[in-house]
Every structure is written in structure tokens, then in C-alpha cells.
Amino acid sequence: MIDRRKQGVVTVAVLAIDVARPLESLDLSELVELSRDFTREQNLAAVARLDAVFAMVEVVSRRERIRRGEGEVAGREPGPEYAQLEPARLVRSHVTTAMGVPAWHAGRLVTAAVQMRTRLRRLSRHAREGVLDEGLIVDLACKLAKVPDRLLDAVEEEVLTGIRRQLDAGDPPTRGSLGERIDRAMERRDRDELDRQHEQAREERRVSFRPRGQGMSSMWALLPTEDAAALEQRLRAAAAADTEPGDPRTDAQRLADALAGLGEAQPAPPGATEFGATEFGAGTAAGSGPAARSSRRPRLEVTVIASAALGLPERVEFVRGAYSSFDWLCSQVLAEENGGARFRMIDPLPGAQDSEQDPLRYFLSEAIKRRIRLRDGTCRHPGCKVKAEDCEIDHVLAFCKPDPARGGPSAEWNLVCLCKNHHLEKTFGPWTYLPGPRGDGELIILTETGHEYRTYPDGMLARARRQLDEVHVISRLTQYFSVERHPRDG
């Protein structure tokens, strides 16, 4: 890595390591040293990438200052606060598309790049020596970003000195330990500030679920430490109580089964109604409190893709988009474990839900909103995986309220799911958004740098459509090759 700084100009070149001999011919010592060299070059390349991100932030910041200055000279109002998009926020989308990383990670890269170049001089110095990998750099920068300026110098010095000592000794720290290191360093200097940060961090608590394939889903949770400890204790107690001699399950499997057991319907307490209140109004209010949470039985909502007529089995959606079989559905309904079920049959053909009046109405019906969410699955901006249920539904081509007939209709081909952040970027940012030509939910995005990106829906409805398309192609090919053909005469 060559890093020259002359008169404010930075020139970076990443030099590849030239290995003259085949790796198989090297002895163990040579391979270890070569691995060190490769790792150092990779770490230095990560720093160069963060430098490029920071340079993008500066370019966009300069452009936005010029634009706002021109607006002031022309006497234009700056617009509402939510329309003033921060340069770092706009750069995040460029990082997502240019570097092929998820939107959440792009945001962390932008934060790390800005912090390293404006606040974290020690982290920057160690990183430029090639001893820190990108994950460690980004984690440290994002966590140190929350340390107040008055404490930063001492906290950064203590944390980086300890980490560097471990790295030089060949004992790299775990990324999970970084937060605790910073907490200890802050506690020694300002316990009240640490308590305030802990209270603020509680606002970030959340749980998320994602299908993983093979009939499995993952669950990720961020909880206050005391709540996580109490939950772990309860799960371990439940797992121990459910274990008999000769149980073939591993400890991890028993814990997973104990957690899954929390989702099973619990018997209602004596006198409780369907919604958790007692018959005489005593105890907790209807629909709230511990009694309601333990006794309410969620109603099963089932969406069925109508595909039998096209040669495919009907597909059932449950548990926020995972697939199951009709056997499972029948067992649930017959056992009445869900207090009844609501069925929705969905025609998979694009535009099947559109009516003659809907395209000229700005406000969408619940039926079309549900259909768009079933089709998209997540936010449609590149790299964003916010679930469709948590997204807003936007017109790709803007709806013309003064004259709806002029364009931007409320039709399926012109509607997409966008999370709140990316909805604002689409509305007030410099990128151009267009619907795809097929009308199946394809979204075309043109950036101000001349790049073009396309995203495609990946919800339950879109997957069913792709499967139906495959069946049609196979059917047409089969019909074509099954036709009896005769050689031409003479």
C-alpha cells in the first residue's frame, strides 16, 4: 500500500503480492509469513475503501452546499426538515450499490469512514499499519462514535492500547468484547454518562425473524442484559425440566425446543375470556397485561396462491412469509388451535387485483397494499431488507393529485414497498426511479453518476409467479418436441 499526501491530495495504490513459487512448494514457515503479508494487504485495502467512502461524503457534501447556496441566492425556501437529506445518508446508497453490501452495513461503513477521518486519530493510525481487519475497524469506529468528545481521547487511548497489545501477542480480541472494553473505559471516567448511554441503548431493543430455508428460520434479538439473563435462565430451567435419561438431543437443541415452547398457546386462567379479561371485569384490562399475553390465541391468517389450474400445488403462507403444506394447515384448523382461520385466495397474475377505479385513487385499498407486500417481501431499494410489513407503499411514477389521469396510477405495476428512509431518499434525493417494462414489480434505478441498477420482488407472490413461469416454459417446450414431425417432400 502506498499512501502519499501532498498539498491535501491523497494517492492510494494497492500493491498485489507477487508469489514467484507455487504455494505447494513452500514450507510451513514461508506459508505463515505469506499469510501475514496477504492479511496486511487485505487490511490496508479495507482502509483504502473507507478512504474512498469518506471522499464520497466530501464530494456529496460540497455538492449539497453549492445547491443550497444557489437556492438561497434565488430566494427559494429550503423546504421541510425531513426533505434535507444528510450527505452521509445519500452516500450510503452509493456504497450499497458500488460495493455490493447490505444497506445496514453500508451505513456502518459510512459512519466508520467519517469517524476515522474526523475524530478517531489513534484508530486511523493503527488501521493504516495494516494490523486491524475491516470488521474490527468498523465495529470500533461505530462504538467509539457514541463516546462524547470530552471523554474520547482517554477512552480511545485505553481501548486501542489494549487491543494492539493483544494483536501483537497473537491473541486477537473478539468483536463481541469491544463494547464491554469501551464501557469499562468510560466507567472509570464518568459513570453517569455510561448510565445515560445504557438507558438510550434500551431504545434499540428488538427481535427479528428470517426464513433460512430447509424449513428453518433464524431469530435474532437485542435485549437489555438483565432481560437476556432472565430469559436465558428461564430457558435453561425449562430445558432441564424437559430432559429425561437417554434424551438424544444436544444442549443447544433442548434450549431451542424450550424457546419454541414459549410460542405454544397457554391455557387461559380461570374466568378469562378469549381476550384475556375475566368474566366479571376484574384483573387486567381486555387485550393488555400478562394475563392477556398468556391467554390470547392468535387468529391464523392464511394466504393461498391460486396455482392449481396451472399445474402447481396451492402454496400456503404463514408465519410472516414462510411456506408450509396443506397437511400442516389442515391439522391446525381441525385441532382448532388457532381459534379459527381466515383464508385469502390470491390470483398470481400481475394486475389481477387492479380495478377500473383504483388507478385514479391516491389512497390504496387494504387489498392492494397486502398484495404489494406479498409480492415484494422487503423494501425494494438496493441492499435493504426491511420487511414489507414495516414498509410504506410508494408510487414509482409520482401520482398526479391535480389530474390523476396524467400518470402515476395506483396500479400494481407502479407500486413498490420502500422503508421510510428509502422512501424519503426516493422523493427528495437525486436518483431516478422507473417501473420495469413487464409490469411484474421490477424497479429500475438511475443514479446521478450514470449507473443503472435493477431490483426484483422476492416475496411469496413473486416467487410463485417465477415458479409458474417455469412451468409454462417447460409445458411449451414439451408440447413443441412432442409434435409429430415429417420430413419435407422431395
Side-chain angles (χ1 to χ4, degrees):
M1 173 77 68
I2 299 175
D3 188 348
R4 305 186 187 95
R5 289 175 171 79
K6 294 181 180 179
Q7 299 178 344
V9 177
V10 179
T11 302
V12 179
V14 180
L15 303 180
I17 298 174
D18 184 16
V19 183
R21 296 162 54 192
L23 295 180
E24 295 80 3
S25 67
L26 303 180
D27 62 29
L28 183 58
S29 297
E30 291 173 316
L31 288 170
V32 168
E33 291 305 315
L34 188 61
S35 297
R36 290 179 186 274
D37 292 340
F38 281 137
T39 301
R40 181 174 180 276
E41 290 299 313
Q42 183 181 29
N43 293 345
L44 291 174
V47 176
R49 183 159 85 151
L50 291 172
D51 285 342
V53 172
F54 180 74
M56 280 193 277
V57 174
E58 288 196 311
V59 169
V60 174
S61 299
R62 185 162 55 249
R63 182 191 70 189
E64 291 300 301
R65 286 195 298 269
I66 294 173
R67 184 182 63 82
R68 291 174 186 176
E70 293 173 345
E72 292 176 0
V73 172
R76 292 193 298 268
E77 292 294 329
E81 184 177 350
Y82 59 79
Q84 309 299 316
L85 303 180
E86 291 296 323
R89 181 170 171 178
L90 294 173
V91 168
R92 183 185 64 180
S93 292
H94 284 289
V95 172
T96 295
T97 50
M99 299 184 179
V101 297
W104 66 267
H105 186 53
R108 284 166 51 82
L109 289 174
V110 172
T111 297
V114 172
Q115 289 290 316
M116 279 183 60
R117 293 294 292 273
T118 60
R119 296 180 77 232
L120 305 177
R121 57 185 182 86
R122 291 180 179 83
L123 176 59
S124 180
R125 185 180 72 247
H126 289 295
R128 293 179 192 285
E129 294 176 8
V131 297
L132 306 177
D133 66 63
E134 184 177 284
L136 191 58
I137 294 171
V138 173
D139 278 355
L140 273 170
C142 290
K143 293 181 183 300
L144 288 169
K146 300 177 182 179
V147 178
D149 289 341
R150 59 187 174 81
L151 302 177
L152 181 61
D153 192 64
V155 170
E156 185 187 11
E157 173 67 24
E158 179 179 330
V159 171
L160 265 296
T161 298
I163 289 175
R164 184 60 187 267
R165 186 183 302 116
Q166 277 193 254
L167 289 170
D168 292 343
D171 180 27
T174 63
R175 290 166 61 181
S177 68
L178 302 182
E180 293 182 353
R181 288 172 181 266
I182 296 173
D183 280 358
R184 289 194 298 269
M186 288 185 59
E187 186 176 27
R188 280 189 277 273
R189 291 160 179 88
D190 191 337
R191 174 70 197 188
D192 291 340
E193 174 61 29
L194 182 62
D195 289 341
R196 282 192 292 272
Q197 290 204 7
H198 282 185
E199 191 62 31
Q200 292 175 357
R202 291 179 64 90
E203 299 300 317
E204 300 177 8
R205 64 190 184 276
R206 58 192 183 275
V207 178
S208 62
F209 299 85
R210 291 192 182 280
R212 295 285 299 272
Q214 297 181 322
M216 302 293 286
S217 293
S218 65
M219 184 186 79
W220 182 90
L222 181 64
L223 303 173
T225 300
E226 61 272 19
D227 293 344
L231 179 60
E232 181 183 9
Q233 184 177 10
R234 179 178 178 182
L235 291 178
R236 291 192 180 280
D242 189 40
T243 302
E244 298 179 354
D247 191 335
R249 296 175 298 169
T250 64
D251 290 343
Q253 289 171 337
R254 284 194 289 269
L255 280 174
D257 292 343
L259 179 61
L262 297 179
E264 297 178 358
Q266 302 295 321
T273 67
E274 179 183 358
F275 297 102
T278 61
E279 293 178 348
F280 303 99
T284 58
S288 64
R293 288 195 296 269
S294 64
S295 62
R296 181 187 293 142
R297 296 189 298 178
R299 186 175 190 180
L300 180 66
E301 293 201 1
V302 182
T303 299
V304 181
I305 299 294
S307 52
L310 298 175
L312 285 179
E314 315 278 33
R315 300 302 295 274
V316 181
E317 181 224 2
F318 77 109
V319 193
R320 295 172 66 91
Y323 283 128
S324 188
S325 66
F326 270 105
D327 291 340
W328 173 88
L329 174 62
C330 291
S331 68
Q332 296 292 295
V333 174
L334 291 175
E336 295 183 348
E337 293 180 357
N338 287 277
R342 176 182 298 168
F343 292 85
R344 289 188 174 91
M345 186 71 75
I346 298 292
D347 187 333
L349 296 179
Q353 190 70 48
D354 296 341
S355 68
E356 293 183 2
Q357 298 80 20
D358 284 344
L360 301 182
R361 296 171 179 168
Y362 177 71
F363 293 102
L364 307 177
S365 67
E366 290 301 316
I368 191 65
K369 287 193 286 188
R370 176 177 174 82
R371 183 178 182 86
I372 299 303
R373 290 192 169 101
L374 282 172
R375 183 198 70 189
D376 286 358
T378 64
C379 171
R380 294 293 307 287
H381 204 272
C384 186
K385 295 303 177 184
V386 173
K387 286 185 174 294
E389 294 92 333
D390 301 322
C391 289
E392 301 168 348
I393 298 179
D394 185 37
H395 295 79
V396 181
L397 300 177
F399 187 89
C400 182
K401 292 182 180 179
D403 184 5
R406 291 182 60 185
S410 298
E412 181 181 339
W413 63 266
N414 192 43
L415 298 171
V416 293
C417 289
L418 291 173
C419 68
K420 185 174 183 178
N421 286 334
H422 286 129
H423 191 172
L424 289 173
E425 285 187 31
K426 172 185 175 293
T427 304
F428 302 107
W431 291 11
T432 300
Y433 298 74
L434 300 170
R438 293 181 55 184
D440 59 356
E442 178 187 15
L443 180 62
I444 303 172
I445 301 176
L446 307 174
T447 75
E448 76 272 37
T449 60
H451 294 88
E452 178 181 309
Y453 302 101
R454 296 171 183 253
T455 71
Y456 301 89
D458 196 35
M460 173 193 180
L461 183 55
R463 293 195 296 268
R465 285 174 178 170
R466 289 196 292 269
Q467 200 170 28
L468 292 173
D469 287 343
E470 293 172 1
V471 170
H472 283 169
V473 170
I474 293 173
S475 176
R476 287 195 294 268
L477 289 174
T478 302
Q479 293 175 5
Y480 177 82
F481 287 109
S482 64
V483 173
E484 183 178 358
R485 300 182 180 278
H486 300 279
R488 292 182 178 179
D489 294 333

